[in-house]
């Protein structure tokens, strides 16, 4: 029960950080409160919604209002305390990464529970963790960050592969999830710290 509580707290912190990310980007474009809320919701629930629709089940946020409430709190936080949040950007990055890793695992586990093969589950985990950011960038008329800047979706894929590999070696689901969580976080932390990115495609003329 204590482990479930910790996971739920991290999940809500991740949702809050994702929503903050979307709302802060909207604020930079001078969106109004409604536009900011929509961008926050897109990041917080977008990936999980796509996953659930593809799995043929009710989107997770339709079973509890906590995610929409969490986004509303994020909106008020940015609206009233935005100018004091800049020094905390590293903390938001940490929460965002924790949420990314947890949502990736949640996407994988839910897909497996619905009888999907593991290669599909890894893709669903990646979608759960990163698709919300793509939706946000499209709404803001920006190039999606995952295509040209940070190691983000790749961290989800590597975490998913670690999860699958550990299960194949007979490691318990719980331990596999923990190690996958750590792998996803470490890949993103190290990539950002050392400015690691994938090679850039260049059109030959």
């Amino acid at each position: 029960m204590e482990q479930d509580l910790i996971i739920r707290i991290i999940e809500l912190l991740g949702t809050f950080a994702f929503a903050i990310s979307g709302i802060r980007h909207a604020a930079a474009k001078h969106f109004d409160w409604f536009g900011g809320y929509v961008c926050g919701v897109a990041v917080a629930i977008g990936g999980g919604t796509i996953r659930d629709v593809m799995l043929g089940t009710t989107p997770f946020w339709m079973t509890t209002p906590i995610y929409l409430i969490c986004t509303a709190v994020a909106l008020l936080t940015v609206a009233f305390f935005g100018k004091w949040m800049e020094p905390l950007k590293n903390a938001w990055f940490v929460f965002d990464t924790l949420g990314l890793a947890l949502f990736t695992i949640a996407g994988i586990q839910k897909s497996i529970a619905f009888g999907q093969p593991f290669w599909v589950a890894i893709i669903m985990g990646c979608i759960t963790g990163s698709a919300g950011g793509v939706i946000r960038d499209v709404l803001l008329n920006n190039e999606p960050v995952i295509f040209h800047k940070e190691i983000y979706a790749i961290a989800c894929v590597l975490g998913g592969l670690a999860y699958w590999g550990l299960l194949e070696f007979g490691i318990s689901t719980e331990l596999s999830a923990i190690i996958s969580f750590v792998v996803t976080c470490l890949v993103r932390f190290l990539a950002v710290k050392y400015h690691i990115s994938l090679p850039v495609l260049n059109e030959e003329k």
Side-chain angles (χ1 to χ4, degrees), residues 6 10 28 30-31 37 47 63 76 79 131 147 154 157 177 183 189 196:
I6 292 173
I10 294 175
H30 305 293
F31 281 26
Y37 184 76
T63 62
L76 294 175
F147 295 152
I154 295 299
V157 173
V183 168
F189 287 148
I196 300 171

Side-chain angles (χ1 to χ4, degrees), residues 37 65-74:
Y37 184 76
I66 188 64
Y67 300 98
L68 299 180
I69 293 171
C70 190
T71 303
V73 173

Side-chain angles (χ1 to χ4, degrees), residues 38-39 42-43 45-47 50 130-140 144:
V38 170
C39 287
V43 182
I45 70 172
I50 294 173
S130 63
V134 175
I135 297 172
R136 173 203 65 206
D137 291 337
V138 170
L139 290 174
L140 294 171

Side-chain angles (χ1 to χ4, degrees), residues 12-13 15-25 27 33 36-37 40 67-89 91-92 95:
L12 289 175
L13 287 173
T15 299
F16 186 69
F18 278 176
I20 288 283
S21 168
I23 295 165
R24 291 182 69 193
H25 279 79
W33 282 33
Y37 184 76
Y67 300 98
L68 299 180
I69 293 171
C70 190
T71 303
V73 173
L75 175 67
L76 294 175
T77 301
V78 173
F80 292 110
F81 304 105
K83 64 181 180 180
W84 290 292
M85 292 175 62
E86 187 61 26
L88 299 175
K89 61 182 180 180
W92 297 124
F95 290 142

Side-chain angles (χ1 to χ4, degrees), residues 100 104 108 118 122-127 130 151-164 180 183-184 187:
L100 174 72
T104 298
I108 292 172
F118 214 92
I122 292 176
I123 293 173
M124 290 297 181
C126 182
I127 288 173
S130 63
I151 294 291
Y152 196 83
I154 295 299
C156 302
V157 173
L158 293 176
L161 288 172
Y163 186 84
W164 170 71
S180 174
V183 168
T184 304
V187 168

